[in-house]
Amino acid sequence: MGESELIQKARAGDETAFASLVEVYEKKVYHQALRLLNQPEDAADVTQEVFWKVWQGLPHFQGSAAFSTWLYRLTDNACIDLIRKEKKRRGDVPLEELPPDGALTIDAAPTPHEALERQELHQAVEKGLSALSEEHRRVLVLREINGLSYQQIAETLDLDLGTVKSRIARARMALSKFLKRAGNFSASSPSNDAERR
Amino acid sequence: MHDAYIELISAALDGELSAQQRQTLERHLQECPACAALYTEWSQQSAALRALDCKPPADLKDRILNGLPAQDAPKRRRIPLRWAALAGCAVLALVIGGSALRHLDRPATLSGGGDPMPISEDVGGAPVPYSDEAEDDLPSPVSEGPAQSRVMGGDGVPVIPVPLQLTGGEAIRVTYGSVPVSDTALVIGSAESLAQYLVLFPEDDLSALSARYDDAFFQDHTLVAAVLEASSGSIRFSIPDQVVQDAIDIRFSAPEVGTCDMAAWLLTAEGDRTAEDGQRIALQESAAQGERSIQ
């Protein structure tokens, strides 16, 4: 059964069809939330909340927007709301100072040496991603984790295409700087100009 | 490194360049070692990001499916609100967007007085029940004389392209007769737009709204606002949490005994950034849960 058929059935209250949609998108939503929140428990809670909202709102869903774009937007909104509530509760601690949580699965690698290198690289990238500003992290997660096109990111975050393009470039530059400071990636020394633009 | 090529390099990695842009970039990368190095570096960085994985909790799907809340009612046809002879008070006409959404069983007389009026005192008879009749059974507004029937707000208002999540609905009573009544809700997307909108409420102090909904709020949210008028201050309106695409569901409740003072309400709800500043969204109405339906 295709996705649009599943959506139609779920709109009509078919829980089995909705379960299939959950199966397709559960990991993507959870992963997006995990990269934005850095806390597995919070990411699970947000995933649950998002799917409940989707289920409740499906009767109003017109299908003129991509289902996935709607889903990722709800996830982004839920995460940002949670981040801001936490910031308020903690007294506005900058996100960059939050300790990243490392409870993540690393892909298996063929040799112990490669595994170690890959693990180090993944951990560095993971830390770097969590150290980015909220603005940079959101676009990079949607691009690299969720695999959205620039157009889809623009729709999800209500940005124009030019902003998406420049923000992703700036996010990459910021991540490069973090990784260089952490001792990863020494291929080049980008100037600060892109950040200032 | 050439700044002019930084965004091109990034977009190339994402497959977002035109053929011409790609050719331009390829030529440049052959001539500029710094930009070529950046391209390589970002390729590795991107690959590392895409290789990140995660493992959702094993019971997450069950948690989601076992706790599913009640699904919203299927989208209703927008129908006229029928005030079927509210007992007592000659009429409690709900006025939305300047349109009297009345569908009365008998001729109506509007009371503009502000004094509380027990609904059961006026007509001297037993309270008349709310009508449950189907829409198709409604008499024609034309043939019914004083009775009117209007679709609530915004037939012809386009649906918004991406569903909008609304939360935190609030109702503020504002000054009847001097507020921007409209048959649709307005999406406000910036503090500046909010300030311009609040100018339309010259007799009301809405500074609390300006203070709460500042630039920081509008970075990731919109504010949706609707103004309703009713011929009784006893009628209560609210915007429940909902996902909106074609129309905003306005809940209302009307007590058996109410006042006949004219009232206006500014309803607000916080939205995400799906909708655009200045966009209009239609309204539809339903009775609050636990109240007697007046549809």
Side-chain angles (χ1 to χ4, degrees), chain B residues 17-282:
Chain B
L17 291 187
S18 66
Q20 189 178 358
Q21 286 174 317
R22 177 162 283 281
Q23 282 179 356
T24 304
L25 179 64
E26 282 172 359
R27 277 199 300 273
H28 176 73
L29 293 183
Q30 287 172 356
E31 297 164 0
C32 178
C35 284
L38 184 67
Y39 183 91
T40 303
E41 178 189 329
W42 281 4
S43 297
Q44 294 169 348
Q45 185 177 291
S46 182
L49 280 168
R50 290 173 194 186
L52 289 177
D53 198 5
C54 70
K55 193 173 182 180
D59 64 345
L60 183 56
K61 187 181 171 190
D62 287 341
R63 275 171 55 188
I64 293 166
L65 296 175
N66 292 337
L68 282 182
Q71 198 171 37
D72 284 356
K75 187 165 69 71
R76 289 184 297 275
R77 210 156 39 119
R78 269 176 243 142
I79 61 173
L81 177 64
R82 288 175 287 132
W83 286 95
L86 275 175
C89 186
V91 64
L92 281 177
L94 172 64
V95 183
I96 297 173
S99 304
L101 301 175
R102 287 170 282 154
H103 212 102
L104 305 172
D105 288 337
R106 58 189 171 206
T109 53
L110 281 171
S111 169
D115 295 334
M117 180 186 294
I119 290 175
S120 59
E121 285 179 2
D122 194 33
V123 293
V128 182
Y130 294 100
S131 167
D132 289 320
E133 64 186 359
E135 184 191 7
D136 291 341
D137 296 334
L138 288 173
S140 155
V142 175
S143 64
E144 200 177 355
Q148 299 174 49
S149 174
R150 299 281 179 86
V151 172
M152 183 174 182
D155 265 359
V157 176
V159 299
I160 53 178
V162 178
L164 172 68
Q165 175 73 46
L166 291 181
T167 56
E170 187 182 8
I172 302 168
R173 190 163 179 173
V174 288
T175 306
Y176 179 85
S178 60
V179 288
V181 178
S182 172
D183 55 5
T184 54
L186 173 68
V187 177
I188 298 170
S190 71
E192 187 182 350
S193 297
L194 176 62
Q196 289 170 1
Y197 182 66
L198 294 183
V199 169
L200 304 175
F201 299 80
E203 296 180 33
D204 300 293
D205 178 8
L206 299 173
S207 54
L209 286 181
S210 309
R212 192 188 320 160
Y213 299 121
D214 55 11
D215 288 331
F217 170 82
F218 283 110
Q219 279 180 11
D220 297 292
H221 295 84
T222 53
L223 188 68
V224 170
V227 177
L228 307 181
E229 286 183 344
S231 63
S232 171
S234 301
I235 301 174
R236 290 289 183 267
F237 301 97
S238 65
I239 301 180
D241 290 0
Q242 61 193 287
V243 178
V244 166
Q245 190 156 28
D246 61 338
I248 295 173
D249 188 19
I250 303 286
R251 298 283 168 85
F252 62 88
S253 59
E256 288 190 40
V257 177
T259 60
C260 282
D261 50 327
M262 305 300 281
W265 297 90
L266 169 60
L267 304 183
T268 60
E270 297 174 6
D272 55 37
R273 293 291 314 188
T274 309
E276 292 178 7
D277 187 38
Q279 201 158 20
R280 290 280 178 178
I281 307 174

Side-chain angles (χ1 to χ4, degrees), chain A residues 10-13 15 18-19 22-23 26-27 30-31 34-35 44-45 47-48 51-53 55-65 70 73-74 77 80-81 84 104-105 107 118 121-122 125-126 129 134 138 140 143-145 149-151 155 157-158 165-166 168-169 171-173 175-176 179-180 185 187-191 193-194 197, chain B residues 1 3-4 6-17 21 34 37-38 40-42 44-75 159-165 167 216-217 219-222 242-247 249 272-276 284:
Chain A
R11 279 186 70 188
E15 292 188 14
F18 186 68
V22 171
E23 196 149 331
E26 174 196 15
K27 186 173 178 180
Y30 175 79
H31 201 182
L34 180 63
R35 296 304 166 193
D45 288 346
T47 304
Q48 177 178 297
F51 278 108
W52 284 358
K53 281 183 179 172
W55 169 252
Q56 285 183 297
L58 264 172
H60 305 294
F61 183 67
Q62 296 295 302
S64 55
W70 178 36
R73 180 178 190 105
L74 287 175
N77 285 341
I80 296 307
D81 282 348
R84 290 181 184 173
L104 298 164
T105 305
D107 285 346
R118 287 182 67 176
L121 178 58
H122 284 197
V125 166
E126 207 166 63
L129 189 59
E134 182 182 296
R138 289 167 79 187
L140 215 49
R143 174 61 218 149
E144 304 285 34
I145 304 296
S149 68
Y150 285 8
Q151 181 62 44
E155 287 168 9
L157 298 182
D158 195 28
K165 189 177 176 184
S166 61
I168 288 177
R172 286 192 163 119
M173 192 64 84
L175 184 57
S176 283
L179 293 173
K180 283 194 178 69
F185 294 128
S188 66
S189 302
S191 73
D193 294 345
R197 284 187 301 136
Chain B
M1 173 130 48
D3 290 345
I6 287 176
E7 283 185 15
L8 281 183
I9 290 169
S10 176
L13 292 167
D14 296 325
E16 298 274 353
L17 291 187
Q21 286 174 317
L38 184 67
T40 303
E41 178 189 329
W42 281 4
Q44 294 169 348
Q45 185 177 291
S46 182
L49 280 168
R50 290 173 194 186
L52 289 177
D53 198 5
C54 70
K55 193 173 182 180
D59 64 345
L60 183 56
K61 187 181 171 190
D62 287 341
R63 275 171 55 188
I64 293 166
L65 296 175
N66 292 337
L68 282 182
Q71 198 171 37
D72 284 356
K75 187 165 69 71
V159 299
I160 53 178
V162 178
L164 172 68
Q165 175 73 46
T167 56
F217 170 82
Q219 279 180 11
D220 297 292
H221 295 84
T222 53
Q242 61 193 287
V243 178
V244 166
Q245 190 156 28
D246 61 338
D249 188 19
D272 55 37
R273 293 291 314 188
T274 309
E276 292 178 7
Q284 67 183 6

